[in-house]
Amino acid sequence: MSRCRQALAVVLLSLLAAAGLMAGPGAASAAPAGATGVWACSVPAGSTYTGARYSTNCGSLPYEYNVTAPSNDLWACIVPSGWSYVGARQGTNCSPNSISWEYRLYTPTNGLWMCTILSGHTYYGVRQGTNCGSGITYEYKIVIPTNGVWACYPPTGWSYTATRQGTNCGSGITYEYLLFKP
């Protein structure tokens, strides 16, 4: 029975390698932060990855990752620190054996509808939509904090000089804040 299992394992490994789902010896490498298009055993801080595959190059870890530097409009498997996303979809690029989420990366920009609000930023518009994940979720019109700009809340380190009621910041009538930072 053990010879049968060994033969089956060889056949399966050959099929995986032929299908490009498993890397051959020496294909994975260490990836420096900001590297693009390198198959690596881990994803360095500040980077993301756009694909995963089975590998025998990473010791006890079964996968290696196509590591890349984040950039606007890139569909990626994780959202690195300092980035947000404007869309999410399910696909097969990020996990070799299941459906998983992929994110369309963007840096915060005034007026851009985004799925998350990064620390130090705020928004001046909220809507429900289907761009950010499963079902209907909230999307936020980003505001880069600047003196004299209206926003839905003052971010940490900011104050405000006036308030008004409006309909930009949620359902119904809510407060809006005129940002100020000395």
Side-chain angles (χ1 to χ4, degrees), residues 109-111 120-125 141-146 149-151 179:
T109 304
N110 273 327
H121 294 83
T122 187
Y123 63 96
Y124 189 59
K141 190 173 184 180
I142 297 300
V143 170
I144 306 298
T146 307
V149 170
W150 287 98
L179 297 181

Side-chain angles (χ1 to χ4, degrees), residues 144-171:
I144 306 298
T146 307
N147 282 332
V149 170
W150 287 98
C152 295
Y153 69 90
T156 302
W158 285 78
S159 187
Y160 55 95
T161 57
T163 62
R164 66 182 182 196
Q165 291 184 324
T167 58
N168 290 311
C169 299
S171 58

